[in-house]
C-alpha cells in the first residue's frame, strides 16, 4: 500500500478525554475516530489490526471444532422475555420499536438466540456435542463508556456457546475453548493470566476470566506466585488475618464522638487503630435493606455480599435519607445494635474484642462492643475484598494484587438457558433430557487496546507482527532523491511479491516526519533507502529493539522476510 494514498490522519495532540495510552495512540495513529460517547469508527489502520485479530480468533475457534454463525444484532424482545432477561439489564440494553410498535433490542449477548437456533434446528442427541460461535457487533449502553474502545457502547465480541448432553461433555467443550483462548492470546502476544471469576447473573458452576495485566485494567486480580492460584478480586477467598485487639472484660459504653463521621476522624478523635473499629454499611438489596460489617481497615466486597444475599440487582449504598430513617442518625453513625435489618458480618469481625461501632445516634458510638454479647450477626461469611499482604487461600503464601483488562470470559452455564427456553433432546432410551451449555466470550475490539497497552514506548505503538496493520514499512529518506525513491520502490515490490504485508512511505515529506509516523503507527520492521543507497546499502530497523543496522538491499529484504516469518 502506498502511504500517499492511505487514509491515515495521524495527530500530534489528542483530546484530554483520552486518559490511557491505547486510547491516545489509537487516535494519534489514525486508527479510530469517535462518533459519539463509546461509539467509534475504525479507519484503515485500525480496521486492518481488527481484521488480523478476528482472523486469529476465527482460526483457533475453527481448529477447536466450533462452527461459525452470524446472528442478527437487531433482536425481537420475545427471546429475552422468555429467559426473563428483557428487564434484568435495565438501561444497559438498547431497546427500540419497529414501525409496527413491536419491541426490539440491539443484542448485548446472544445466549437466548443461540439456544433458540439449536432448539429449532437440532433434533437428535446424536448431533451433540456442538459448539457454535460468531464474531459480531454487540451493544450495551454503558453508564460510563471510557478508555476508547476498552469500554465502548458498541463493540465486537466473539461469543461462543457449547451444547452437550452431559457434565463430562461440558467439561470437554469448556476445556477445548480454554485451550483455544490460550492459543489466541498467545498469538496476539498478550501477557495474560487466567483467573477464577464470579459468574454473576450468568449463574452456572463457575467461570474464568482471561486478564491482560495492565495498570489501566478495571478489574482487580489476586494471584499467588507460589502455587499459581489466581482469582478476580471479586471472587478471591480471603483468609482471616487478626489484628491486635483490646483485651479485658469491659461493659459496652456509649461515647460522644462529635462530628466523627469517617474512620479517620474517629481514629484521630479516639486515638485508636482502625482495626479496633467495625464499620457498618447499609445497602439496598433489591427492594429491602441490609447492613454489612467489616473491620475498620477492610473494604466490603459487594460481589461476594450480593451472592450471599442472593439479590438480583447489584447492591447499592442506601440513600442518606434511608440511612437516617433506619438508624435515627446522620450517615456515619450506623451500627449493628438496635438495627432491625439483617446484619451480614465478615468473618474477621468474629475475632474482634471490645471494639467500637456506630451507636445509631448522631455523634455517638459504642465502645467495648463484643459480637455475641452485645449484638447478634444474621450471617457470618467472607465478605471483604482481598488485599496485598493477605495470604493465598490455597497455599498460605503471600498473595499479590494487580489490575487487569478482561479480554475473555468463559462460563460453565449448565441448564439455565436450556431450561428457560426448553432446549431438550431424547436420549438413547427415548427419555427427554435437558441440554447442558457453556458460553465463551472474547472482547475482540478490546483486544486491540489490550495489545497496545502492553506494546508501546515513548514513540508510539510497537505492534507484534501478528496484529500489526502492516508487517513492514519501506521509505526513501529523501523523496527528492531519484536513486533513493527508486530503490525504495524496488524493495517494496520485492517484499510484496514475497507475500509481505508491506507499506511504502512515498509521501513528499521530510525524513523526520516519516520516521516519527513510522514509530507512531508501530510497524514492526522498516527498511530505509538513504544516502548509502549509491553503495547498495540500506538501513534495517526493528521497531521493538530500535537498532539500526546497515546492510545490502538483498540482505535487508531477506532479513525482513525472516523476521516476519519468525515472529508471526
Ligand atoms: C445484557 C446487557 C449487558 C450484559 C449482558 C446482557 C454482561 C450479559 C454477561 C455475558 C455473559 C457471556 C456470551 C459470551 C460470554 C459472556 N453484560 N452479560 O449477559 F442484556 Cl445489556 O455477556 N455472554
Amino acid at each position: 500500500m502506498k502511504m500517499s494514498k492511505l487514509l491515515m490522519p495521524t495527530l500530534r495532540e489528542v483530546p484530554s478525554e483520552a486518559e490511557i495510552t491505547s486510547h491516545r495512540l489509537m487516535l494519534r495513529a489514525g486508527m479510530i475516530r469517535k462518533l459519539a460517547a463509546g461509539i467509534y469508527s475504525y479507519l484503515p489502520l485500525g480496521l486492518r489490526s481488527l481484521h488480523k485479530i478476528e482472523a486469529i480468533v476465527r482460526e483457533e475457534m475453527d481448529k477447536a471444532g466450533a462452527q461459525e454463525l452470524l446472528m442478527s444484532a437487531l433482536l425481537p424482545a420475545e427471546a429475552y422475555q422468555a429467559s426473563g432477561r428483557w428487564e434484568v439489564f435495565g438501561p444497559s440494553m438498547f431497546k427500540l420499536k419497529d414501525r409496527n410498535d413491536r419491541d426490539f433490542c440491539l443484542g448485548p449477548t446472544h445466549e437466548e438466540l443461540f439456544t433458540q437456533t439449536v432448539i429449532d434446528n437440532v433434533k437428535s442427541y446424536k448431533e451433540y456435542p456442538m459448539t457454535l460461535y460468531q464474531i459480531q457487533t454487540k451493544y450495551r449502553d454503558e453508564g460510563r463508556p471510557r478508555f476508547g474502545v476498552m469500554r465502548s457502547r458498541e463493540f465486537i465480541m466473539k461469543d461462543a456457546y457449547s451444547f452437550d448432553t452431559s457434565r463430562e461433555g461440558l467439561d470437554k467443550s469448556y476445556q477445548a475453548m480454554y485451550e483455544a483462548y490460550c492459543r489466541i492470546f498467545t498469538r496476539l502476544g498478550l501477557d495474560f493470566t487466567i483467573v477464577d471469576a464470579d459468574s454473576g447473573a450468568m449463574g452456572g458452576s463457575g467461570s474464568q476470566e482471561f486478564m491482560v495485566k495492565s495498570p489501566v485494567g478495571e478489574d482487580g486480580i489476586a494471584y499467588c506466585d507460589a502455587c499459581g492460584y489466581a482469582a478476580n478480586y471479586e471472587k478471591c477467598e480471603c483468609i482471616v488475618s487478626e489484628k491486635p485487639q483490646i483485651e479485658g472484660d469491659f461493659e459496652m459504653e456509649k461515647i460522644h464522638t462529635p462530628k466523627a463521621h469517617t474512620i479517620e476522624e474517629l481514629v484521630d478523635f479516639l486515638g485508636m487503630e482502625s482495626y479496633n473499629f467495625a464499620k457498618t454499611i447499609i445497602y439496598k438489596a433489591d427492594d429491602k435493606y441490609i447492613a454489612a460489617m467489616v473491620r475498620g481497615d477492610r473494604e466490603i466486597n459487594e460481589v461476594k455480599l450480593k451472592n450471599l444475599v442472593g439479590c438480583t440487582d447489584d447492591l447499592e449504598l442506601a440513600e442518606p435519607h434511608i440511612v437516617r430513617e433506619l438508624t435515627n442518625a446522620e450517615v456515619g453513625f450506623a451500627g449493628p445494635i438496635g438495627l432491625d435489618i439483617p446484619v451480614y458480618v465478615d468473618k474477621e469481625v468474629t475475632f474482634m474484642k471490645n471494639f467500637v461501632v456506630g451507636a445509631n445516634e448522631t455523634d455517638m458510638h459504642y465502645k467495648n462492643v463484643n459480637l455475641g454479647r452485645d449484638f447478634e450477626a444474621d450471617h457470618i461469611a467472607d465478605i471483604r475484598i482481598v488485599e496485598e499482604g493477605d495470604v493465598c487461600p490455597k497455599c498460605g503464601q503471600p498473595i499479590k494484587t494487580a489490575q487487569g483488562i478482561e479480554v475473555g470470559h468463559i462460563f460453565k452455564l449448565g441448564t439455565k438457558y436450556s431450561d428457560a427456553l426448553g432446549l431438550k433432546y431424547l436420549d438413547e432410551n427415548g427419555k427427554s433430557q435437558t441440554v447442558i451449555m457453556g458460553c465463551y466470550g472474547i472482547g475482540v475490539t478490546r483486544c486491540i487496546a489490550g495489545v497496545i497497552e502492553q506494546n508501546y514506548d515513548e514513540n508510539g505503538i510497537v505492534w507484534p507482527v501478528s496484529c500489526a496493520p502492516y508487517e513492514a514499512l519501506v521509505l526513501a529518506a529523501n523523496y527528492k532523491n531519484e536513486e533513493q525513491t527508486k530503490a525504495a520502490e524496488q524493495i517494496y515490490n520485492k517484499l510484496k511479491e514475497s507475500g509481505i504485508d508491506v507499506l511504502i512511505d512515498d509521501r513528499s515529506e521530510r525524513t523526520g516526519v516519516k520516521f516519527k509516523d513510522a514509530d507512531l503507527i508501530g510497524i514492526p520492521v522498516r527498511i530505509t533507502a538513504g544516502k548509502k543507497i549509491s553503495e547498495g546499502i540500506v538501513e534495517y530497523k526493528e521497531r521493538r529493539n530500535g537498532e539500526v543496522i546497515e546492510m545490502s538491499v538483498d540482505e535487508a529484504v531477506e532479513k525482513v522476510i525472516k523476521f516476519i516469518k519468525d515472529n508471526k
Side-chain angles (χ1 to χ4, degrees), residues 85 89 92-93 108-109 111 140 159 161 202 411 440-441:
R85 294 212 293 180
F89 289 93
S92 300
M93 193 179 246
T109 183
E111 279 79 6
R140 295 178 183 180
D159 47 323
Y161 305 84
M202 297 309 292
F411 298 74
Y440 316 88

Side-chain angles (χ1 to χ4, degrees), residues 362-407:
T362 303
D363 288 348
M364 301 302 278
H365 279 79
Y366 283 116
K367 72 175 190 181
N368 301 329
V369 174
N370 289 283
L371 171 64
R373 184 191 73 179
D374 304 317
F375 73 98
E376 290 300 332
D378 295 280
H379 303 270
I380 295 175
D382 165 14
I383 58 169
R384 73 178 175 85
I385 288 182
V386 68
E387 295 174 4
E388 286 282 344
D390 269 320
V391 293
C392 170
K394 289 278 176 292
C395 77
Q397 292 303 309
I399 205 141
K400 295 199 176 85
T401 59
Q403 295 303 111
I405 303 165
E406 179 196 329
V407 288

